[in-house]
Amino acid sequence: MDWFFYIALAVLASGANIFVDNYVSDCYFKGREAAAQKGFYPLPFLIIGIIFLFAGGINFSNIPIHLYTLFIFSGIGSAVAGIFYYKALEVSDSTDFGIFAQLSPIFYLILGWLFLDQTINIYQSIALLIIIIAPILIIMTTKKRSRHLRIKAVLYTMLDSLIAALCSVIFVKGDADASEINFISEMGLTFIGIGIGNAIIMLLMPKWRKRYKNVVKSSRKKLYYPLSSAFILNVVHKFTRNLALVLAPSVALASAIMSSAKPIVIFFLGLLFTLLWPRFGREKLKRRTILVHLLATILVVIGIYLIKS
């Protein structure tokens, strides 16, 4: 199947996942300690990881320990990045997060230069400056009393993007070195790492464990429905994204297309959900807000194109 199809699935799954997570954070956790919903994820990710390992037919006896631990640590890092992801959703809406998250190409570019021997040309240097303008534009057009929340959202999103980019570099390094492990098994190890990471986080955060149990109880277990949807979307996103990177003729090309398409998809999904299901979408549809987000999205797309160059 064409790799572009998997890119489309990855972007759609990621965009929809952000809206589900934002809905859970606002409607169930009321914008307080939204990261406590991580209490749901250890078991599902461990189960899906084991299923992938059996499907991939991995043989640990023939694999150096440092190779499969790379993928597990990549998953643990993804779980840690999720803390800042939920923090960002507490203080911003889905569309803003989609714009702020496009700071990630900066980290991919720098980490690729540091660890993967990739070069940075003049066009990519200009791109870094253009991409940075997008979140600054949104912050500066925000009312002063809300501006500090936007700044916090940008900082949280930058931390999420930085850790996520580092985990991707670890995955790429592992994939390059691990000819003995197939893609299905690599994803299985990564999912297990995510499950382990979330379990460790919840063990270290008793306050979040209590918050999660209280929300489950007060919702009469209805919380499980959106969290199950978020889990499925998360698995689909991670699997299709990595599969697209493997199948594409150029990893840089696939990454650029995903990065430039994501804020556009999130923006229009936000408009669609807000019009059809206001309680779920809950995006601001004022003309000024729409124009600012369109301009920010255009800047990001230009920046990603230059990075690809």
Side-chain angles (χ1 to χ4, degrees):
M1 194 172 291
D2 189 75
W3 60 272
F4 193 81
F5 172 77
Y6 293 113
I7 284 182
L9 279 181
V11 172
L12 285 172
S14 176
N17 189 25
I18 290 173
F19 280 98
V20 175
D21 287 337
N22 196 25
Y23 172 75
V24 171
S25 299
D26 286 354
C27 295
Y28 287 92
F29 288 85
K30 309 301 180 185
R32 295 184 294 108
E33 298 173 346
Q37 60 192 277
K38 281 182 164 291
F40 174 81
Y41 291 109
L43 186 59
F45 269 112
L46 287 172
I47 292 173
I48 196 70
I50 292 171
I51 291 173
F52 270 63
L53 283 182
F54 275 106
I58 190 170
N59 185 352
F60 287 99
S61 62
N62 297 329
I63 302 170
I65 189 171
H66 76 276
L67 288 181
Y68 59 80
T69 51
L70 275 178
F71 298 108
I72 291 177
F73 277 119
S74 174
I76 292 174
S78 296
V80 173
I83 296 174
F84 302 104
Y85 165 75
Y86 288 118
K87 287 288 186 182
L89 288 180
E90 288 178 6
V91 293
S92 68
D93 58 33
S94 302
T95 304
D96 279 355
F97 180 84
I99 297 294
F100 299 155
Q102 297 317 299
L103 292 167
S104 60
I106 296 175
F107 301 121
Y108 280 102
L109 202 62
I110 295 173
L111 290 171
W113 173 65
L114 288 174
F115 299 109
L116 301 177
D117 298 323
Q118 297 176 352
T119 59
I120 300 177
N121 58 39
I122 184 64
Y123 296 106
Q124 292 168 335
S125 300
I126 296 173
L128 300 183
L129 298 176
I130 293 176
I131 291 173
I132 290 173
I133 293 174
I136 293 175
L137 176 65
I138 294 177
I139 291 171
M140 297 307 296
T141 55
T142 303
K143 294 180 180 179
K144 288 186 178 180
R145 63 176 181 270
S146 302
R147 193 168 293 172
H148 72 284
L149 295 177
R150 292 289 177 89
I151 294 173
K152 286 177 66 175
V154 171
L155 293 176
Y156 285 137
T157 306
M158 287 177 67
L159 286 171
D160 167 50
S161 299
L162 174 59
I163 298 172
L166 183 58
C167 293
S168 294
V169 169
I170 292 173
F171 186 93
V172 170
K173 288 284 289 183
D175 181 71
D177 297 337
S179 58
E180 306 92 337
I181 309 177
N182 59 46
F183 175 78
I184 298 294
S185 297
E186 290 174 357
M187 290 304 303
L189 291 168
T190 302
F191 288 144
I192 288 175
I194 295 174
I196 293 172
N198 282 315
I200 293 173
I201 289 169
M202 295 307 291
L203 284 173
L204 296 176
M205 298 296 294
K207 188 177 180 181
W208 288 358
R209 291 202 307 271
K210 183 178 179 181
R211 176 72 171 145
Y212 174 69
K213 292 177 181 177
N214 289 338
V215 173
V216 170
K217 183 177 180 180
S218 64
S219 69
R220 298 179 181 179
K221 299 185 179 181
K222 291 181 181 179
L223 174 64
Y224 290 146
Y225 297 114
L227 287 181
S228 297
S229 300
F231 168 71
I232 294 171
L233 289 169
N234 205 340
V235 170
V236 171
H237 165 240
K238 285 179 168 56
F239 183 85
T240 53
R241 178 197 62 192
N242 289 352
L243 185 57
L245 293 174
V246 170
L247 295 177
S250 166
V251 173
L253 176 61
S255 300
I257 293 174
M258 282 188 279
S259 296
S260 58
K262 188 173 180 179
I264 301 172
V265 169
I266 291 175
F267 178 71
F268 285 105
L269 280 177
L271 295 180
L272 180 64
F273 287 146
T274 300
L275 292 173
L276 299 181
W277 191 6
R279 189 168 177 235
F280 183 72
R282 295 170 293 115
E283 300 295 305
K284 301 176 182 65
L285 295 183
K286 294 180 180 179
R287 180 181 298 178
R288 183 187 179 201
T289 303
I290 294 175
L291 289 176
V292 168
H293 280 81
L294 277 175
L295 179 57
T297 299
I298 290 171
L299 288 172
V300 169
V301 171
I302 293 172
I304 298 298
Y305 177 80
L306 289 174
I307 286 179
K308 187 190 71 173
S309 303

